[in-house]
Structures are given as structure tokens and as C-alpha cells.
């Protein structure tokens, strides 16, 4: 048996990397490569992971990791789920090995080894999808947005309404910026809670857009991404038809918008 140590991290660090699992595409996806999670070395002493499903992308970078040789591999969805169930939020050691063309995660303190299958393919050049710059950047409190989305979902359920999407609308009124959240239901009915819904705890970091801006987003996609952030996060926009990004240090999540056809 050929067994080579690739790198060593803690369970807490592995759990952080596994945050991206929510973006792994479903098994029936016609492109098998995106039904897995990609691991690669990045620059000096960095590991980068990515998952995407054609509508959204999630990336994490881990600094100060000692690895023996550069590597890249794609773990299958089933392997990722097994790892997540085993990983705890502690500083116990996890050794990662390359074993006979597959990957083994050794949980030292748990005395457990997880054998992980890989997808033998070339991963998508995902960094080409991520905007290098954003014309509009807003720093916000994720907790406030999370609570608003929860309340929208609760109100829609109580009124037996299905949410098509939500719209972020950023505009300037006098000397102040406003961040409005509008809700579109497929029954074309209005939810009372959502009539005058505004985000309060935010700050404009950059604005090169000369007009008011709005973009439609899948409510579940934005919720699944933003709930992974604590403290503060920066959301970046460029146009109503280009991806939005959510960033905080070495974390990045990207969501494609919903294109709304204007009625004639």
C-alpha cells in the first residue's frame, strides 16, 4: 500500500473548509465534476477548497498549512458528507494521506480513518467566474439579514404563499443610502410584513454606480450563504445580471442573480 502524507490540520479547520459543501451539485447533475468538492494548494502554505453547482459557488482558503507536495483532488459528495458527520469543532489533529489513488482522512484522537473516493477529472476554472472588482460594495451585519429572511419565510408560510425571489434595491435619498428588500410571490400577492422592509445596519464601502440599483436573488441561496458569516460581511454588486459576492477574509460565496423579464 502506497501511503503519503499530504497535510495536517485540525478538526476545526476541516469543518471550516467543509462549509462549502452546501454548493455541491446534486448527483443527477450532468457534469459529474461539480458533484464533488475541490481541494488544492494555493500559493505558499495555503489550501483552497471550492464547490459549485452552476448557480452559486463557495470558496474557502486556509492559511499557514504545511504540506509536503502540491496537490489537487476532487472528493465525491458522499465522501464529503461522511467527513462532515465525523468532524467536530475542536483542535484535534487530522492527517490527510494519499493512499492508492484515493484520499484518507485520519482523525487521530478519534482513532478513526475515513476513506474518501475521488472524481478523476479536471475541475472548473472557478476563479474566472469571480469578479475581480465590484462597482458597489456594502458592509453589513449578517445577523440582521438572516433574521429578515427568516421572518419573510415565516410570513409567507403563514399566508400560504410561495416566494419566487427577493429583490435587493439600493438607492440614495437625500444624503442617505437605503437598502430595501422586496419580496415577489408567485400568487402575485403582497405580504404585509414585507411592505416596507429595509436593512438598517449597513455601510456603503464603495459605489461607482450612478443610479439606483436592484437585483433579484433566490431567497434560499442567499440565506444558505449568509448564515455562514458572523460579525460582518461585504456584499459586492456590479449589475442586475452579474453575480453577487459575499466576502469576509478568506471566505467567499457567489450567487447568480435571477433575470426578471420586463412586462411589455
Amino acid at each position: 500500500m502506497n501511503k503519503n502524507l499530504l497535510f495536517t490540520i485540525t478538526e476545526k479547520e476541516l469543518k471550516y473548509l467543509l462549509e462549502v459543501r452546501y454548493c455541491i451539485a446534486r448527483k443527477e447533475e450532468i457534469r459529474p465534476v461539480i458533484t464533488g468538492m475541490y481541494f488544492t494548494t494555493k500559493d505558499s502554505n495555503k489550501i483552497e477548497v471550492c464547490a459549485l453547482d452552476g448557480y452559486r459557488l463557495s470558496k474557502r482558503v486556509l492559511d499557514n498549512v504545511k504540506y509536503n507536495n502540491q496537490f489537487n483532488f476532487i472528493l465525491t459528495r458522499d465522501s464529503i458528507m461522511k467527513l462532515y458527520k465525523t468532524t467536530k469543532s475542536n483542535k484535534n489533529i487530522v492527517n490527510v494521506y494519499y493512499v492508492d489513488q484515493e484520499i484518507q482522512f485520519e482523525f487521530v484522537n478519534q482513532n478513526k480513518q475515513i476513506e474518501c473516493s475521488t472524481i478523476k477529472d479536471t475541475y472548473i476554472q472557478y476563479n474566472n467566474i469571480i469578479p475581480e472588482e465590484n462597482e458597489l460594495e456594502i458592509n453589513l451585519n449578517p445577523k440582521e439579514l438572516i433574521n429578515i429572511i427568516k421572518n419573510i419565510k415565516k410570513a409567507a408560510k403563514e399566508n400560504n404563499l410561495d416566494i419566487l425571489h427577493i429583490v435587493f434595491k439600493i438607492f440614495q435619498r437625500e444624503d442617505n443610502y437605503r437598502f430595501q428588500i422586496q419580496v415577489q410571490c408567485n400568487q402575485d400577492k403582497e405580504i404585509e410584513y414585507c411592505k416596507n422592509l429595509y436593512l438598517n445596519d449597513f455601510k456603503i464601502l464603495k459605489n461607482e454606480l450612478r443610479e439606483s440599483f436592484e437585483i433579484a436573488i433566490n431567497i434560499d441561496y442567499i440565506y444558505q450563504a449568509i448564515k455562514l458569516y458572523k460579525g460582518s460581511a461585504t456584499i459586492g454588486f456590479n449589475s442586475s445580471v452579474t453575480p453577487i459576492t459575499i466576502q469576509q477574509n478568506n471566505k467567499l460565496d457567489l450567487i447568480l442573480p435571477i433575470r426578471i423579464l420586463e412586462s411589455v
Side-chain angles (χ1 to χ4, degrees), residues 144-153 155-156 163 165-171 178-184 190-200 202 219:
E144 183 185 13
L145 181 55
I146 290 167
N147 288 336
I148 287 175
I149 292 173
K150 284 181 177 178
N151 288 335
I152 290 172
K153 285 173 165 285
I163 301 170
H165 57 261
I166 58 174
V167 176
F168 290 161
K169 188 173 183 179
I170 298 99
F171 58 94
R178 306 296 301 275
F179 191 133
Q180 186 176 15
I181 301 173
Q182 300 175 334
V183 182
Q184 180 65 49
E190 194 172 32
I191 302 173
E192 185 68 29
Y193 168 76
C194 306
K195 283 184 177 179
N196 291 288
L197 203 52
Y198 291 88
L199 203 64
N200 295 311
F202 73 94
I219 191 170

Side-chain angles (χ1 to χ4, degrees), residues 81-130:
M81 297 312 165
K82 284 193 296 183
L83 279 178
Y84 183 74
K85 290 177 181 178
T86 305
T87 306
K88 305 181 187 302
S89 296
N90 57 43
K91 294 184 178 180
N92 292 340
I93 295 299
V94 180
N95 293 320
V96 183
Y97 297 94
Y98 185 70
V99 183
D100 294 337
Q101 299 187 353
E102 300 298 348
I103 304 297
Q104 181 189 88
F105 285 73
E106 178 189 35
F107 293 79
V108 177
N109 291 69
Q110 297 189 45
N111 193 27
K112 182 181 292 188
Q113 292 82 38
I114 304 293
E115 309 294 336
C116 296
S117 301
T118 59
I119 298 172
K120 309 300 189 294
D121 204 341
T122 301
Y123 204 68
I124 293 168
Q125 297 294 317
Y126 55 89
N127 281 312
N128 295 336
I129 304 170
I130 303 169

Side-chain angles (χ1 to χ4, degrees), residues 16-24 36-38 48-61 123 126-127 129-130 224-226 228-229 246 250-255:
Y16 160 74
L17 295 178
L18 292 174
E19 283 183 353
V20 308
R21 75 193 184 284
Y22 81 94
C23 275
I24 297 174
M37 176 175 161
Y38 182 63
E48 183 170 289
V49 301
C50 180
L52 52 83
D53 65 2
Y55 304 99
R56 52 198 172 155
L57 175 155
S58 187
K59 183 176 84 169
R60 301 290 184 270
V61 177
Y123 204 68
Y126 55 89
N127 281 312
I129 304 170
I130 303 169
Q224 289 170 347
I226 198 67
L228 299 173
Y229 290 78
I246 308 170
N250 285 333
K251 301 172 69 163
L252 182 142
D253 292 84
L254 176 148
I255 305 169

Side-chain angles (χ1 to χ4, degrees), residues 72-84:
N72 60 75
F73 55 84
I74 309 167
L75 295 186
T76 63
R77 182 186 181 89
D78 288 344
S79 294
I80 291 301
M81 297 312 165
K82 284 193 296 183
L83 279 178
Y84 183 74

